[in-house]
Amino acid sequence: MANGILPFTMRLATGLCTAVLATAGLTTAFPGMDKTMSELQKRQGDLSKSLLGDLETLPDKDLTATGKAVRDILTGKAEGLDLSSQVKRVPPKTSSECAKDKCCIWKYVADEMRDAMVGTAGRCNNFARAAVRLGFHDAGTWARGNVPSGGGADGSIILAGECESRRSNDGLHEICDLVRTWHAKYKEYGVGVADLVQLSAVVGTVACPLGPRVRFFVGRRDSSEPAPEGLLPSPKADADKLIGLFANKTISAAGLVALLGSHTVSQQRFYDKGRALDPQDSTPGVWDNLYFKETLSSKAPPRLVKFASDVNLANDARTRPMFEAYGNSLKGQITWSQAYAREYVRLSLLGVYNINDMTECTRVLPNFMGSFDSVDKAKLDEFAAGELDSARVALMNGDVIPDL
Ligand code: HEM
Ligand SMILES: *[C@@H]1O[C@H](CO)[C@@H](O)[C@H](O)[C@H]1NC(C)=O
């Protein structure tokens, strides 16, 4: 399997927070991996399965290579992540060679995005986390059977000004402005807003240490029609409501928990304004699975702001097992990375009806960062314990927490 097997080894050393996630092609290189793989297979059974958009009606014989690839991801036959593909050579952006390759220009865009998304500590910053949320808030406005239809990954969050006009998008203004800047710079090369938004989300993910490299497809149609309202989740909602809301987007309870794990990098500003920039786990800017453990725990560090919705899901019988599984050290990190990637590919295609005509450009994405050393671990612990308020801004920027 070219993209799939995810043999990370992960060492969580006490004291120095070190996580090493090595990648290689062979299960045999990793004793115990077979057991892990069967565990993964079991968990994958809980993930979302249904087809989307044009793939729901197209007969198999009419599927393009992209159509087949996406079908296999959606139905659980292929991985949604790809840790290894690479661009071999990048022709100049104005060359005809670049114009002929649908992915070429996206390499330039992805590199520029990544540069904006990482700070001096190697952690991902506010643009990265906001981009991940932006991808969700554009795509997540689609629901099956919704009348009038519309919404989905169509760029309307930018093109219809939803970013500014809807309270649910508080916290996204800066990233929306940045996406507009990128669009102004690259539109002459045929770069669309819906694809830009989704690229920013997957670059934002892999820009965070340990963040999975989610497969990326281009060719979405842009729309400046406002998306239907009321289809994004409320952080006050109970588990029933949230599970139902995501079910209508074809996302299972397990899939929802996998996606929710992106709160691992979060530093909220509007949920509790008095505690702006306080994180949702004790390692903001690192894509580790501590979020699940700490959301479950009644003894989490006092610095954390937990959303009522997250706690409700962590306590519900349908979703609690996923919090436990994904939060469980190495196995959990692997299982979650795979689940997240498959579910994010799905999310990034909600409301898209030309999937069969899209193109996979995963190879333009930045490299997967499978290990991370926190050089300011002692200060980070102090911050988590409720001290050192001044660290908020450094963390926001992904920067090393300075000496006082
Ligand atoms: C039950 C569903 C969800 C609820 C209720 C929810 C709610 C929230 C809230 C209230 C915030 C804080 C915003 C702020 O105050 O600044 C937030 C942040 C965030 N959400 Fe969610 N969310 C949900 C699902 C998701 C999903 C599916 C994703 C992406 C796959 C996602 C990605 C993020 C990210 C990355 C942030 C951090 C943004 C930042 O720090 O700037 N969330 N979410
Ligand atoms: C899911 O969709 C159905 C049918 O459109 C609707 O009746 C129901 O209220 C939706 N559930 C949620 C939680 O939005």
Side-chain angles (χ1 to χ4, degrees):
M1 185 164 43
N3 307 314
I5 307 179
L6 189 68
F8 314 15
T9 58
M10 187 179 189
R11 184 164 48 92
L12 283 168
T14 45
L16 193 78
C17 175
T18 305
V20 179
L21 284 81
T23 65
L26 291 170
T27 346
T28 51
F30 293 86
M33 202 59 209
D34 283 351
K35 194 160 154 273
T36 306
M37 289 306 287
S38 66
E39 179 75 12
L40 297 184
Q41 242 89 61
K42 212 169 68 206
R43 281 287 156 220
Q44 284 193 343
D46 300 328
L47 295 180
S48 316
K49 288 277 156 52
S50 53
L51 291 172
L52 288 175
D54 49 324
L55 299 186
E56 281 193 292
T57 46
L58 278 171
D60 268 11
K61 67 171 174 42
D62 293 345
L63 293 185
T64 60
T66 308
K68 286 185 185 129
V70 173
R71 175 198 63 192
D72 289 351
I73 297 168
L74 295 177
T75 54
K77 292 192 190 77
E79 294 294 344
L81 49 69
D82 169 0
L83 301 181
S84 60
S85 63
Q86 292 281 337
V87 172
K88 299 209 174 55
R89 213 176 57 80
V90 193
K93 37 171 198 281
T94 52
S95 66
S96 60
E97 195 187 350
C98 193
K100 263 186 244 142
D101 174 349
K102 284 203 174 114
C103 298
C104 177
I105 195 62
W106 291 103
K107 170 71 176 148
Y108 287 90
V109 185
D111 285 352
E112 183 164 344
M113 286 177 170
R114 202 230 171 234
D115 286 347
M117 288 180 172
V118 183
T120 58
R123 288 185 284 259
C124 58
N125 67 16
N126 51 324
F127 289 123
R129 50 186 147 254
V132 175
R133 185 163 174 245
L134 180 73
F136 167 45
H137 280 210
D138 193 32
T141 55
W142 180 88
R144 177 160 271 161
N146 187 57
V147 184
S149 61
D154 61 5
S156 69
I157 196 163
I158 303 279
L159 293 167
E162 293 155 20
C163 198
E164 290 76 17
S165 67
R166 297 186 183 183
R167 291 292 311 281
S168 52
N169 293 327
D170 281 356
L172 296 175
H173 296 181
E174 296 92 342
I175 189 66
C176 288
D177 286 345
L178 193 52
V179 170
R180 288 193 177 97
T181 310
W182 288 325
H183 187 234
K185 182 165 173 186
Y186 290 103
K187 66 179 175 213
E188 64 175 295
Y189 301 99
V191 162
V193 175
D195 287 338
L196 261 182
V197 165
Q198 294 308 323
L199 178 67
S200 79
V202 294
V203 172
T205 305
V206 76
C208 305
L210 317 190
R213 195 165 182 260
V214 178
R215 292 170 70 184
F216 171 60
F217 298 85
V218 298
R220 291 169 190 76
R221 294 185 184 128
D222 283 355
S223 169
S224 47
E225 284 296 310
E229 299 204 52
L231 294 175
L232 291 174
S234 156
K236 299 270 152 70
D238 63 25
D240 232 39
K241 170 90 180 164
L242 294 168
I243 291 170
L245 185 71
F246 279 79
N248 283 3
K249 304 181 196 307
T250 77
I251 294 169
S252 68
L256 165 57
V257 177
L259 291 171
L260 206 57
S262 61
H263 288 170
T264 182
V265 295
S266 177
Q267 279 180 275
Q268 68 84 32
R269 288 184 290 159
F270 293 89
Y271 177 79
D272 183 345
K273 287 185 184 165
R275 294 181 56 185
L277 293 176
D278 277 357
Q280 280 58 74
D281 81 359
S282 53
T283 52
V286 180
W287 200 281
D288 59 15
N289 59 354
L290 259 185
Y291 159 81
F292 296 109
K293 237 186 193 139
E294 293 182 340
T295 303
L296 280 170
S297 170
S298 56
K299 287 180 289 223
R303 174 64 65 184
L304 272 52
V305 171
K306 296 187 188 185
F307 305 146
S309 47
D310 288 12
V311 174
N312 292 342
L313 289 166
N315 288 325
D316 188 273
R318 289 161 291 182
T319 36
R320 186 182 181 92
M322 304 309 153
F323 275 79
E324 285 163 351
Y326 297 148
N328 178 18
S329 65
L330 165 63
K331 260 204 250 179
Q333 181 83 27
I334 298 170
T335 311
W336 169 44
S337 297
Q338 290 188 303
Y340 181 88
R342 279 196 29 224
E343 297 293 342
Y344 197 86
V345 169
R346 169 181 298 279
L347 183 63
S348 76
L349 294 170
L350 295 184
V352 177
Y353 292 88
N354 61 333
I355 297 173
N356 203 38
D357 304 324
M358 292 174 75
T359 304
E360 179 161 13
C361 293
T362 308
R363 63 183 184 276
V364 308
L365 296 178
N367 292 333
F368 169 66
M369 279 186 289
S371 68
F372 182 67
D373 276 301
S374 177
V375 295
D376 46 11
K377 173 83 170 84
K379 291 201 193 81
L380 202 61
D381 288 347
E382 236 184 284
F383 178 70
E387 311 289 313
L388 213 68
D389 283 355
S390 61
R392 285 175 171 140
V393 173
L395 285 165
M396 175 180 94
N397 294 322
D399 287 345
V400 177
I401 303 168
D403 290 321
L404 287 178

